[in-house]
Amino acid sequence: MIDYEKELNEEQCHVVLEAGGPMLVLAGAGSGKTRTLTYRVARLVETGIKPERILLATFTNKAARSMLNRVRELVPVDLSRLSGGTFHHNGHFMLRAHAERLGYTRSFSILDTEDARQLISTCVVEAGIDTKGATFPKANVLYGILSLAVNTAADLSTTVAERYPFFSHRLEDIRKVAALYDLRKRQSDFMDFDDLLLNWRRLLLECPDVLQHYAERFEHILVDEYQDTNRIQAEIMDLLASRHRNIMVVGDDSQSIYAFRGANFANIMSFPEKYPDCRIFKLETNYRSTPEILHLANLSIENNENQFAKSLRAVREAGLRPVVVPARNALQQAEFVAQRILELHRDGIPLHEMAILYRAHFHAMDVQMELTRRGIPYEIRSGIRFFEQAHIKDVTAYLRILGNPLDELAWKRIFGLCPKIGKKTAEKLWQFLSESGEPLEAALREDFLKVVSKTARGGLAFFQEVLIKLREEAVHASTLPDLISLIIERGYRKYLRETYTDTASREEDLEQLAEFSGKFSSLEDFLSELSLMTNMDADGRDKAAGDDLQENKVILSTVHQAKGLEWSVVLLVGCAEGMIPLERAVQEAGGEEEERRLFYVAATRAKDYLYLCYPQTDYSRWAGFANLSPSRFIRELVPSSRKKELPFEHWVVEEQW
């Protein structure tokens, strides 16, 4: 028998030993959520609940496997019949058994994302949609629109109007494609990932005997990360729990930060309303952070009105107060961050125990450059390096042509952006230009268009027009920001919207690129700097660096990507109003509170050191130099009734930094 009182703290023990019924477990950051879930499953098995009568729903199969492996160590029983895995995994299991009830065969195929996009492309052609005229989304964007509508339980018109307003004029065409896509899937016995959830719910609603069978079978249901569930996932769990009502959901409303991908914050907040007899447990004992860091985090999240009241308590001994670091500008902020990392590393903290977090990818642009200059190796967990992103490289390819008309790779990259031009045609175009001796001049000639087929000439002609205008502006000594803006406005913005689902963030990246380019006196200097930024090995290390710093790497990540992780040192950059919270995010319903939850998540990633950094000035070619104020999330951190001093100290950045 497991000695639960010895293995668990009092809060965890209450959860694990509870007999049953609806349970809402509010598991604060670093409070041992996974441990509690694991021991709960072990307890159920130990008390005689057969594994096949337990359903464990997680967001990754890895998390489920980890928990079940630990359960096997605690209770040596066969868990092969326990249903544990992602929502999609569990839904797939039931749909295979009952597919005929929904008009599918049991051998239905599952479309992965790439397969789904290809089928949508086929549907666009079959529907006779005109994609040459007004802006129309490409297949991957269409897939994103349809998926978002499913996961937010919204109709297409609402999804397009709120998230993709620049496609509102093509709504009826999008509807046609969506209807044909659904028809083709049914005809071909296909389900995509979203269908696994939709059809799972449909199966339970339309087939009472199936619902009765599984509702009877699953005596206990456990749901991890409940704050991240969407409406469909929550409805499915409620249906399955309708017989025994032994449903335990575990999550933290203070860490609900994924509304943009369909997570429904109302699920966790309304759980006590759906289950009036539910017991609410709070895991507030934090094993990760110092009391000082938790004090700041608690003070911050208290400002959210829509939440369950809770306060994290530290197990660890007192440490240092978090530090607020105002810098003169983004460059000085980056210099401080790099210098502080070097100092902490000299004090014995490994680089991999340090993380630089940010709200948006472009907030780390100057930081990436400064780390590169100093030979500090880093790994980006939020995607690829800023200057290596596709949309950044697309736009800078135009500038590279101006700077060096013999840049074959830049030419071919731009040709690839033109409709109906593939790699072979791009090669022919480059051969034509290279043989001319004057590629830039040759690209403006009428016979240049004759290299490609008639169907491809329209896109190439448009490129010519952009190139002509770009050259004229360059000759007239237009600024680099103006040149970049011209590229964006003369066609690339349309390409962005048709090609990517995250258009808003990519447009912000390009705006920041334009602003950044204004720091350079010449195109040559700007392009040289970009080249130096990408002069790295595949693992992200500076080729010139060769000291012991190469043994590990500083982590760079958005706050979203950092959830669930922890580091000894966290440096949160861009803690200025308009950055954290992000200006466009607070304009949405519930936006400010979700942004505050992001700030809370960032703060609670830190174990020992927390630095909140922000630039005091910013430059915009539209408004010139502007003063920035510290984030409202910093300004609202006033002394509490218990502690009269500020929950942080201020540092003044030395000028040599």
Side-chain angles (χ1 to χ4, degrees):
M1 294 287 289
I2 302 170
D3 188 346
Y4 294 98
E5 293 185 356
K6 180 181 178 181
E7 296 288 327
L8 305 168
N9 67 33
E10 186 177 354
E11 295 168 342
Q12 297 165 340
C13 210
H14 286 161
V15 174
V16 169
L17 299 180
E18 178 68 15
M23 302 166 61
L24 171 60
V25 181
L26 299 168
S31 63
K33 168 181 69 67
T34 301
R35 183 177 183 86
T36 304
L37 268 169
T38 299
Y39 275 81
R40 175 66 177 173
V41 175
R43 172 66 176 177
L44 293 174
V45 174
E46 194 179 62
T47 56
I49 303 297
K50 295 181 179 179
E52 60 265 32
R53 305 206 68 185
I54 300 173
L55 173 65
L56 173 63
T58 62
F59 273 87
T60 66
N61 286 316
K62 181 181 178 181
R65 287 194 301 269
S66 176
M67 289 184 206
L68 295 181
N69 288 336
R70 179 60 177 143
V71 172
R72 291 187 184 94
E73 296 175 2
L74 296 171
V75 184
V77 297
D78 181 11
L79 298 177
S80 60
R81 297 194 64 192
L82 189 151
S83 297
T86 65
F87 288 90
H88 294 88
H89 173 85
N90 288 312
H92 172 249
F93 165 77
M94 294 186 197
L95 288 169
R96 284 292 180 200
H98 306 282
E100 295 96 337
R101 303 291 295 274
L102 299 178
Y104 295 85
T105 70
R106 294 195 180 189
S107 60
F108 68 84
S109 298
I110 299 175
L111 295 175
D112 62 22
T113 302
E114 185 56 37
D115 291 335
R117 291 170 178 172
Q118 289 182 9
L119 182 56
I120 288 174
S121 291
T122 301
C123 293
V124 171
V125 175
E126 289 185 0
I129 304 298
D130 178 17
T131 61
K132 297 179 182 178
T135 303
F136 191 76
K138 293 185 179 179
N140 64 308
V141 180
L142 279 170
Y143 179 75
I145 293 172
L146 302 183
S147 182
L148 185 62
V150 169
N151 286 286
T152 56
D155 57 40
L156 268 178
S157 60
T158 300
T159 301
V160 171
E162 293 182 353
R163 300 292 186 92
Y164 301 89
F166 37 82
F167 292 137
S168 294
H169 63 296
R170 305 301 299 268
L171 178 60
E172 290 309 309
D173 288 332
I174 294 173
R175 289 190 193 275
K176 288 179 184 178
V177 175
L180 186 56
Y181 176 58
D182 286 338
L183 177 63
R184 288 293 304 273
K185 285 188 293 180
R186 295 298 298 267
Q187 290 174 337
S188 302
D189 206 27
F190 290 155
M191 292 190 202
D192 62 22
F193 289 138
D194 293 322
D195 290 328
L196 293 176
L197 294 181
L198 284 173
N199 287 330
W200 187 10
R201 181 181 63 176
R202 183 179 156 217
L203 177 69
L204 299 176
L205 289 173
E206 295 181 6
C207 304
D209 57 320
V210 176
L211 171 59
Q212 182 179 354
H213 171 75
Y214 287 108
E216 178 61 41
R217 170 181 167 175
F218 294 121
E219 188 175 348
H220 287 270
I221 297 172
L222 300 90
V223 185
D224 191 19
E225 301 287 7
Y226 192 67
Q227 78 282 347
D228 295 334
T229 55
N230 61 34
R231 189 175 301 176
I232 298 173
Q233 292 164 333
E235 288 176 3
I236 290 170
M237 294 297 105
D238 290 338
L239 288 166
L240 293 174
S242 58
R243 167 67 177 86
H244 298 289
R245 301 183 78 254
N246 294 322
I247 178 171
M248 183 179 98
V249 300
V250 183
D252 184 6
D253 57 290
S254 297
Q255 298 187 72
S256 180
I257 59 174
Y258 295 123
F260 69 93
R261 67 185 190 194
N264 188 5
F265 180 64
N267 286 346
I268 192 168
M269 299 306 299
S270 63
F271 190 84
E273 298 173 15
K274 288 193 296 184
Y275 298 93
D277 58 334
C278 86
R279 294 197 62 188
I280 300 178
F281 300 85
K282 296 180 181 180
L283 305 183
E284 298 175 295
T285 304
N286 177 283
Y287 294 89
R288 175 185 300 157
S289 306
T290 62
E292 290 76 11
I293 292 173
L294 293 184
H295 178 52
L296 181 144
N298 287 332
L299 282 179
S300 176
I301 204 64
E302 283 175 4
N303 289 281
N304 272 7
E305 294 182 3
N306 194 19
Q307 64 166 317
F308 292 105
K310 53 188 171 300
S311 182
L312 295 180
R313 301 183 302 274
V315 170
R316 297 181 54 193
E317 296 181 354
L320 299 173
R321 277 192 298 165
V323 180
V324 171
V325 188
R328 186 174 60 255
N329 50 34
L331 177 59
Q332 193 183 51
Q333 176 183 243
E335 291 172 344
F336 167 79
V337 167
Q339 183 66 26
R340 192 67 189 131
I341 286 170
L342 291 172
E343 292 169 352
L344 291 168
H345 185 62
R346 284 196 292 268
D347 290 341
I349 300 176
L351 292 181
H352 67 263
E353 274 291 337
M354 295 186 246
I356 303 167
L357 305 184
Y358 36 88
R359 174 63 178 87
H361 202 44
F362 64 83
H363 293 163
M365 179 171 52
D366 287 283
V367 171
Q368 291 181 41
M369 294 190 66
E370 187 63 23
L371 294 178
T372 302
R373 290 191 189 104
R374 300 201 186 201
I376 303 173
Y378 62 92
E379 175 185 341
I380 297 181
R381 297 281 178 84
S382 54
I384 59 178
R385 289 170 173 77
F386 181 86
F387 295 103
E388 294 175 1
Q389 296 177 105
H391 54 295
I392 300 296
K393 297 185 76 170
D394 288 345
V395 170
T396 55
Y398 283 90
L399 301 179
R400 286 168 56 187
I401 287 173
L402 292 180
N404 176 17
L406 297 176
D407 191 329
E408 176 184 353
L409 297 180
W411 282 106
K412 288 181 177 178
R413 186 175 192 94
I414 295 174
F415 295 152
L417 302 177
C418 300
K420 308 296 183 181
I421 294 180
K423 290 184 178 180
K424 289 184 178 179
T425 305
E427 186 65 45
K428 290 180 181 178
L429 288 168
W430 168 246
Q431 186 175 354
F432 176 89
L433 296 179
S434 61
E435 291 175 352
S436 72
E438 296 287 342
L440 196 56
E441 298 296 331
L444 305 180
R445 298 202 315 250
E446 187 174 342
D447 59 340
F448 179 56
L449 300 179
K450 297 178 180 178
V451 178
V452 302
S453 65
K454 290 183 179 180
T455 58
R457 288 177 189 175
L460 194 60
F462 185 81
F463 162 66
Q464 272 190 332
E465 293 174 12
V466 175
L467 192 59
I468 291 170
K469 185 64 177 175
L470 197 60
R471 191 183 180 199
E472 289 176 355
E473 293 295 323
V475 170
H476 290 92
S478 293
T479 65
L480 286 174
D482 288 339
L483 294 179
I484 292 174
S485 293
L486 187 151
I487 296 166
I488 297 168
E489 298 303 327
R490 292 295 184 99
Y492 194 76
R493 188 186 306 277
K494 178 177 182 290
Y495 174 83
L496 267 185
R497 292 175 172 179
E498 293 177 337
T499 307
Y500 299 107
T501 56
D502 55 345
T503 301
S505 63
R506 291 178 187 265
E507 287 185 0
E508 287 178 338
D509 286 346
L510 292 174
E511 177 61 30
Q512 292 302 311
L513 177 71
E515 298 294 344
F516 175 73
S517 70
K519 301 177 181 179
F520 298 87
S521 58
S522 68
L523 176 61
E524 182 183 9
D525 289 345
F526 177 61
L527 294 176
S528 296
E529 187 67 36
L530 295 190
S531 297
L532 292 173
M533 283 296 298
T534 56
N535 186 34
M536 295 205 176
D537 292 325
D539 63 359
R541 296 180 295 183
D542 189 337
K543 293 177 179 178
D547 56 23
D548 65 346
L549 293 179
Q550 303 290 23
E551 295 176 2
N552 49 75
K553 305 171 190 174
V554 176
I555 303 301
L556 273 69
S557 174
T558 63
V559 181
H560 284 103
Q561 291 291 108
K563 185 174 173 290
L565 304 175
E566 62 181 34
W567 296 272
S568 176
V569 181
V570 167
L571 301 108
L572 181 62
V573 298
C575 292
E577 195 66 21
M579 297 178 172
I580 301 177
L582 201 61
E583 185 174 0
R584 60 178 167 83
V586 296
Q587 297 172 0
E588 301 175 0
E592 179 177 327
E593 293 210 343
E594 177 152 333
E595 290 290 295
R596 186 176 286 107
R597 293 194 292 270
L598 270 169
F599 182 79
Y600 174 85
V601 167
T604 54
R605 300 311 94 195
K607 294 187 290 186
D608 305 300
Y609 302 90
L610 175 63
Y611 299 91
L612 307 174
C613 313
Y614 70 94
Q616 294 177 291
T617 61
D618 189 26
Y619 178 78
S620 166
R621 65 187 186 280
W622 311 116
F625 284 97
N627 293 325
L628 299 179
S629 60
S631 166
R632 68 188 71 180
F633 305 146
I634 292 177
R635 299 198 308 271
E636 65 192 15
L637 293 172
V638 297
S640 66
S641 57
R642 291 186 299 106
K643 295 186 177 183
K644 303 301 183 182
E645 65 177 2
L646 285 169
F648 56 82
E649 53 181 294
H650 269 104
W651 281 13
V652 177
V653 181
E654 299 291 338
E655 280 302 314
Q656 65 261 32
W657 285 344

